[in-house]
Structure formats: structure tokens, C-alpha cells
Amino acid sequence: MKHTGVFGCSTKWQEKAASRTEALRKIEEQPVKLEMAAAADLKRLLENPAKHMALISFWATWCGSCIDELSDFEATYQMYKDRDLELVTVSANMPDEKASVLRMLEKKHATSRNLLFASNDTAALQEAFDPTWESAVPYTVLLDADGKVLYKNLGSVDILELRRTILANLPSDYIGFNQYWQAGSGQKEPAKSGGR
């Protein structure tokens, strides 16, 4: 019987257990910060001045599905941050609830950039980010480096669909990488919107 060699990455998971434990320890040691965000800050978010792919998650401590998604978003951020993915969480809580928002972010080890509405006028802050936003959370937007919307969803996300969209649009030096993920997610072109 003829042997056909296979070329690819070596995966020795048992050997990597120690490095994974060490990586998790480093994540848990990172400080969790919370900044206040005014209307101008939210407008700037949509412009994406950092020029990285940006995953923006609007949430609140009183929203159960939002809390569930925070862990998925943080895991996604840890998976792709070395490939220029930025995660920004924006709490729609009132400014005087800052302590409880920070406690939740610490519980979720949210080492990403974390913002909190700086005003009780939530309608004005939501409109500053997206005038078409229907004033509910969770609300998720994925922007490419130029600020083009790749994914937008009001309500809970399909995390696998979101990750496929990220992979289909992350810059890559490998020929066919983006096309593979576009085909895998059913994308015909890089700009795909999920949900509404």
C-alpha cells in the first residue's frame, strides 16, 4: 500500500496543556478597566480610528443573554487579538451603576476595552452610534479596519457565524484563507450582515 504524506500543523494537545494553563493565568492577572463614553466617543467608535477589525458589543447587567455572550466575546477576542481584532464592550447601564458593571466585567475577565454610557440619556447615546439601532441590547457590530460594517445583529448572536465572519475578513498572508472561511460561512463577499 502506497503512503501519501500529509503536510500541516503538528497538534500535540497534551504537551500544550501547561502553556494553556499559563495563558489563562496571565489573562486573569490582567486588569479590567472601565471608561465612561459620551456621544462623541461612540461616534468615534463607528469611525474605527484604530484601523483594526473591531467587534463592538452593547450590553447591560440586567440583560441575561448579554451576560451569557460576554464570555463568548472575550474568548473570541483572546483567539484573534494577535491578528488585529479589537473588542469593545459598551454597557448601556446608567453611569451611577459603574461599580456593578465593573464587577461583572471582572467576573468575566473582560480584558478588552470596556465602556459605560456617560449619561442617563441612553437614546441620544444609542443614536450617536447608530441612528437605526432599535434601542435594545444585546446589539453587536463588527467593523473592518476601514469602518465598513461586516456584521450587525440585534439580539443574541450565533457565535460560530460571527467567528466565521471574522475569519473570512481578517487580513491574511495565506492565499485562499479568506475564501475558505467565506465559503464555509456561506458568504459570497466579505461584507455580510447577521441578524437585522
Side-chain angles (χ1 to χ4, degrees):
M1 178 178 215
K2 185 177 177 184
H3 174 74
T4 303
V6 178
F7 185 78
C9 293
S10 170
T11 55
K12 296 177 178 73
W13 297 110
Q14 192 168 13
E15 293 174 11
K16 296 180 181 187
S19 63
R20 175 166 166 71
T21 301
E22 177 64 14
L24 290 173
R25 186 190 60 75
K26 285 182 180 178
I27 290 168
E28 290 181 8
E29 287 180 352
Q30 291 178 10
V32 174
K33 298 177 185 172
L34 181 59
E35 307 165 44
M36 303 307 285
D41 300 311
L42 296 174
K43 282 183 182 176
R44 230 180 345 271
L45 266 185
L46 199 55
E47 295 164 5
N48 200 9
K51 299 300 178 195
H52 298 293
M53 181 178 286
L55 176 58
I56 304 166
S57 169
F58 288 86
W59 68 286
T61 57
W62 38 260
C63 168
S65 58
C66 297
I67 302 302
D68 290 343
E69 287 185 338
L70 276 177
S71 297
D72 285 337
F73 289 148
E74 184 64 22
T76 301
Y77 170 62
Q78 294 300 330
M79 286 165 38
Y80 304 122
K81 71 180 181 179
D82 289 341
R83 296 182 58 199
D84 288 337
L85 175 71
E86 179 182 18
L87 171 62
V88 182
T89 72
V90 185
S91 173
N93 286 78
M94 298 294 116
D96 63 359
E97 298 175 302
K98 184 175 182 178
S100 64
V101 171
L102 184 56
R103 271 194 305 276
M104 181 57 69
L105 291 168
E106 288 172 340
K107 184 177 180 180
K108 296 292 184 176
H109 306 291
T111 59
S112 57
R113 183 174 178 210
N114 302 299
L115 306 175
L116 169 63
F117 281 179
S119 162
N120 291 340
D121 189 354
T122 57
L125 293 170
Q126 290 168 338
E127 188 169 338
F129 180 78
D130 181 358
T132 67
W133 180 6
E134 296 178 16
S135 299
V137 289
Y139 180 55
T140 307
V141 177
L142 178 67
L143 304 172
D144 73 4
D146 297 319
K148 179 181 176 185
V149 176
L150 300 171
Y151 180 96
K152 185 191 285 193
N153 192 71
L154 181 62
S156 296
V157 300
D158 176 335
I159 195 64
L160 295 179
E161 178 187 16
L162 177 59
R163 287 176 180 167
R164 284 184 197 113
T165 304
I166 290 168
L167 288 167
N169 293 282
L170 274 175
S172 175
D173 294 330
Y174 300 103
I175 296 170
F177 181 86
N178 296 109
Q179 290 85 0
Y180 173 84
W181 288 105
Q182 288 167 12
S185 66
Q187 285 188 323
K188 304 224 186 317
E189 57 187 52
K192 181 184 180 207
S193 272
R196 293 194 240 178

